[in-house]
């Protein structure tokens, strides 16, 4: 398998997010986000870790851009920290915050790497959460205002925009299960947050279009292939529910301009949606996108009740389905995530590269002409630094290669897949798992901030024809061959 097996226009990149890598939490006017507050909540984060320093990318971005250039990627997907650009969540721009992303974008462009900016990867200014956060409709308007500031400040350098990253996580991990910031347990009202997030997406799209009609813009959803554990009516019903909450609740309004009524009813939010979701809202949410970003990690197998024969699996937060925390699937709490027996990553997520084709088809059947991008895909494993100083991450390399192969199959099937972004460039703050989970293709020593490409990075670079893959320093790596 080689890069030339893909169309020349296919975009290869890596992805990160602001709070996970930047550090510099109190610099240049940045104020706290919900993650700064949540990470200080006792018991919220493994090891009581915070993003205060993270990968210190704020100060080391030049080194990180050079690393990407050596990898040979075409594009870099990063996110903009709202609390740097508009620290209180309303009002004037903080120029020092914008300037950081201008320096980063300039550095990328100098190395021939195209910036892809995500406007919201979960770091809501805490002052907006104090006013109700995403449960308040006004937050959608604040998000549009901030998006306008970001596009005004960066639109001459950035021409690929993603409004939201994974609104499912913001709504249901943030406001239902509480595994993510702001850590609230609002049950089915978390679906109100989902609507306000999507409204924010639509309003932000309007701001982008008004300011930079030539820019490409869309949203990124985390989609799952969902299967029933058996053909029983009860298990099929469980699969309908989880597919509804994970996929259709987001895909249908964005691509078809309607909320799936069965899902709204499952949530028990029929009345709220009828009274609060206007046809104008739906028109705003469904305005055309230039592409759809899809984050793909795993497949869910679900059952109506626990089965003795199969191990309990983990849900999208990596939380065991047996955990006592409130469910991230309000109204469908009784559904059980069961294992199918496939190998799993350290997150407990089953590995199903073929299921990536399922989610691409799922999006494509709703919007046949819409370009699709895998904006995240990756795996966490317990890495070991070997005696030779290298990280021989065979499992992550296999995961990466097998998902790149699934991309090739997607292209061969004629799906409009335009690119693939590996999650993630380097180890970083993995949300409620803190630094205990490493998804990077580059290892980070958090004591010294030394970055070391893992074998997965070398495989990727070799595949891409990058300088790192050709480096004699790594010539003994068994996993260098893209065929390996
Ligand atoms: O680290 C996260 C990322 O921020 C959003 N998508 C899933 C990744 C792995 O959990």
């Amino acid at each position: 398998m080689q890069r030339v097996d893909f169309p020349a226009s296919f975009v290869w990149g890596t992805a990160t997010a602001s709070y996970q890598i930047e550090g510099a939490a109190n610099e240049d006017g940045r104020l706290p986000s919900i993650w700064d507050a949540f990470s200080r909540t006792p018991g919220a984060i493994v090891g009581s870790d915070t993003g205060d320093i993270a990968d210190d990318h704020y100060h080391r971005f030049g080194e990180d851009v050079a690393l990407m250039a050596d990898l040979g990627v075409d594009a870099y997907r990063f996110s903009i920290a709202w609390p740097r650009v508009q620290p209180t969540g309303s009002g004037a721009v903080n120029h020092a915050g914008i300037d950081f992303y201008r320096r980063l974008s300039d550095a990328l462009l100098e190395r021939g790497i195209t910036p892809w900016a995500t406007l919201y990867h979960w770091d809501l200014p805490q002052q907006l959460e104090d006013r109700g956060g995403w449960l308040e409709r006004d937050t959608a308007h604040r998000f549009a205002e901030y998006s306008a500031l970001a596009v005004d400040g960066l639109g001459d350098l950035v021409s690929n925009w993603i409004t939201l990253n994974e609104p499912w996580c913001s709504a249901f991990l943030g406001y239902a299960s509480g595994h993510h910031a702001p850590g609230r347990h609002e049950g089915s009202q978390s679906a109100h947050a989902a609507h306000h997030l999507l409204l924010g997406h639509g309003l932000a799209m309007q701001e982008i279009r008004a300011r930079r009609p030539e820019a490409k813009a869309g949203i990124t959803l985390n989609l799952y292939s969902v299967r029933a554990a058996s053909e029983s009516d009860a298990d099929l019903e469980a699969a309908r529910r989880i597919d509804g909450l994970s996929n259709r609740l987001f895909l249908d309004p964005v691509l078809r301009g309607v909320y799936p009524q069965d899902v709204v009813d499952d949530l028990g939010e029929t009345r709220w949606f009828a009274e609060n979701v206007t046809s104008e809202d739906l028109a705003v949410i469904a305005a055309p996108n230039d592409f759809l970003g899809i984050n793909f990690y795993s497949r869910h197998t679900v059952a109506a009740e626990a089965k003795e024969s199969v191990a309990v699996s983990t849900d999208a937060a990596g939380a065991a389905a047996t955990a006592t925390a409130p469910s991230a699937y309000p109204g469908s709490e009784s559904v059980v995530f069961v294992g199918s027996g496939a190998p799993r990553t350290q997150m407990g997520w089953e590995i199903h590269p073929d299921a990536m084709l399922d989610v691409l088809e799922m999006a494509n059947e709703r919007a046949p002409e819409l370009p699709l991008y895998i904006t995240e895909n990756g795996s966490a494993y317990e890495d070991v630094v070997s005696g030779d100083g290298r990280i021989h991450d065979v499992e992550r390399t296999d995961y990466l290669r097998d998902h790149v192969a699934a991309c090739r199959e997607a292209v061969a099937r004629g799906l409009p897949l335009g690119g693939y972004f590996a999650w993630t460039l380097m180890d970083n703050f993995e949300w409620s798992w803190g630094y205990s989970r490493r998804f990077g293709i580059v290892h980070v020593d958090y004591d010294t901030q030394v970055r070391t490409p893992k074998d997965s990075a070398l495989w990727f670079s070799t595949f891409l024809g990058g300088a790192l893959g050709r480096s004699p320093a790594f010539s003994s790596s068994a996993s260098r061959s893209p065929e390996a």
Side-chain angles (χ1 to χ4, degrees):
M1 188 168 56
Q2 298 175 341
R3 184 180 191 149
V4 292
D5 296 337
F6 289 80
S9 60
F10 198 90
V11 176
W12 296 99
T14 56
T16 63
S18 47
Y19 190 72
Q20 294 183 272
I21 63 165
E22 286 178 0
N26 301 310
E27 283 185 46
D28 295 335
R30 181 187 182 280
L31 287 179
S33 75
I34 53 176
W35 275 96
D36 296 88
F38 185 62
S39 62
R40 283 167 172 75
T41 306
I45 314 287
V46 172
S48 302
D49 292 337
T50 75
D52 285 2
I53 299 173
D55 293 341
D56 195 29
H57 172 76
Y58 193 76
H59 301 113
R60 295 168 194 262
F61 71 88
E63 184 189 341
D64 296 334
V65 170
L67 202 48
M68 283 185 265
D70 285 349
L71 273 172
V73 294
D74 308 309
Y76 174 47
R77 175 181 176 235
F78 60 92
S79 80
I80 298 171
W82 187 346
R84 280 194 202 288
V85 167
Q86 193 191 38
T88 63
S90 60
V93 70
N94 173 31
H95 290 289
I98 280 287
D99 282 352
F100 167 67
Y101 298 105
R102 289 195 67 82
R103 293 196 301 278
L104 171 63
S105 301
D106 275 333
L108 289 165
L109 291 167
E110 271 167 27
R111 306 300 296 258
I113 300 170
T114 304
W116 284 56
T118 302
L119 287 160
Y120 186 73
H121 198 126
W122 307 351
D123 36 7
L124 183 73
Q126 179 60 36
Q127 290 195 28
L128 288 185
E129 177 55 31
D130 294 342
R131 304 214 295 265
W134 287 110
L135 292 185
E136 289 298 319
R137 187 179 172 96
D138 184 56
T139 302
H141 293 280
R142 302 283 66 76
F143 177 63
E145 184 184 87
Y146 145 71
S147 299
L149 297 178
V151 176
D152 282 345
L154 295 164
D156 57 330
L157 302 176
V158 177
S159 32
N160 296 279
W161 294 93
I162 294 172
T163 54
L164 304 178
N165 180 70
E166 303 182 357
W168 181 87
C169 295
S170 301
F172 294 111
L173 299 181
Y175 291 89
S177 75
H179 279 111
H180 280 190
R184 292 173 63 176
H185 301 143
E186 306 293 345
S188 64
Q189 286 188 38
S190 51
H192 310 176
H195 175 60
H196 297 145
L197 281 150
L198 291 179
L199 182 61
H201 152 71
L203 294 170
M205 289 290 290
Q206 292 180 347
E207 300 296 343
I208 299 168
R209 300 283 191 228
R211 285 166 168 73
R212 293 281 169 182
E214 73 288 3
K216 301 284 184 217
I219 186 173
T220 278
L221 303 177
N222 51 320
L223 301 180
Y224 290 87
S225 170
V226 181
R227 296 210 176 167
S230 78
E231 289 301 307
S232 75
D233 287 350
D235 287 353
L236 290 170
E237 163 71 2
R240 181 196 63 73
R241 284 172 171 269
I242 300 307
D243 171 55
L245 277 168
S246 308
N247 301 319
R248 291 185 289 119
L249 186 62
F250 297 90
L251 278 173
D252 285 0
V254 170
L255 300 181
R256 291 179 167 161
V258 290
Y259 279 108
Q261 194 58 47
D262 62 318
V263 182
V264 171
D265 294 345
D266 290 345
L267 282 157
E269 290 294 330
T270 314
R271 183 164 169 189
W272 188 89
F273 272 69
E275 290 178 354
N276 292 279
V277 177
T278 65
S279 53
E280 289 80 19
D281 288 0
L282 288 167
V284 169
I285 291 169
N289 293 291
D290 297 310
F291 60 84
L292 176 70
I294 297 175
N295 292 353
F296 175 78
Y297 287 89
S298 188
R299 195 178 87 186
H300 289 325
T301 304
V302 297
E305 56 190 23
K307 300 195 187 314
E308 280 174 17
S309 55
V310 280
V312 167
S313 189
T314 55
D315 69 12
T322 47
T324 50
S327 172
Y329 302 89
S332 297
E333 290 86 352
S334 59
V335 173
V336 180
F337 290 74
V338 298
S340 73
R344 302 177 191 205
T345 68
Q346 193 191 2
M347 295 297 281
W349 299 344
E350 290 192 348
I351 304 166
H352 292 284
D354 290 356
M356 197 163 87
L357 294 155
D358 298 347
V359 302
L360 291 167
E361 306 263 12
M362 191 191 294
N364 181 249
E365 76 190 21
R366 286 170 171 79
E369 305 303 324
L370 187 64
L372 306 174
Y373 289 84
I374 296 294
T375 40
E376 281 183 28
N377 172 248
S379 55
Y381 287 103
E382 276 181 89
D383 292 325
V384 176
V385 181
S386 302
D388 60 3
R390 307 260 298 278
I391 298 93
H392 302 296
D393 57 338
V394 178
E395 293 160 304
R396 185 179 295 101
T397 304
D398 288 350
Y399 183 102
L400 177 60
R401 184 202 53 223
D402 292 349
H403 285 79
V404 168
C407 289
R408 186 180 53 176
E409 172 62 19
V411 171
R413 285 190 195 179
L415 286 161
L417 180 62
Y420 174 92
F421 291 76
W423 184 267
T424 176
L425 171 64
M426 53 193 170
D427 296 334
N428 57 46
F429 178 82
E430 176 53 27
W431 309 113
S432 56
W433 294 97
Y435 299 100
S436 72
R437 296 291 182 277
R438 292 177 178 269
F439 276 87
I441 58 173
V442 172
H443 178 270
V444 176
D445 179 326
Y446 295 114
D447 294 329
T448 61
Q449 292 293 348
V450 167
R451 279 88 157 120
T452 307
K454 303 177 191 177
D455 281 1
S456 52
L458 303 178
W459 180 87
F460 200 33
S461 186
T462 304
F463 168 80
L464 295 173
L468 202 63
R470 296 194 304 271
S471 163
F474 297 113
S475 58
S476 65
S477 171
S479 58
R480 281 186 73 224
S481 161
E483 306 297 342

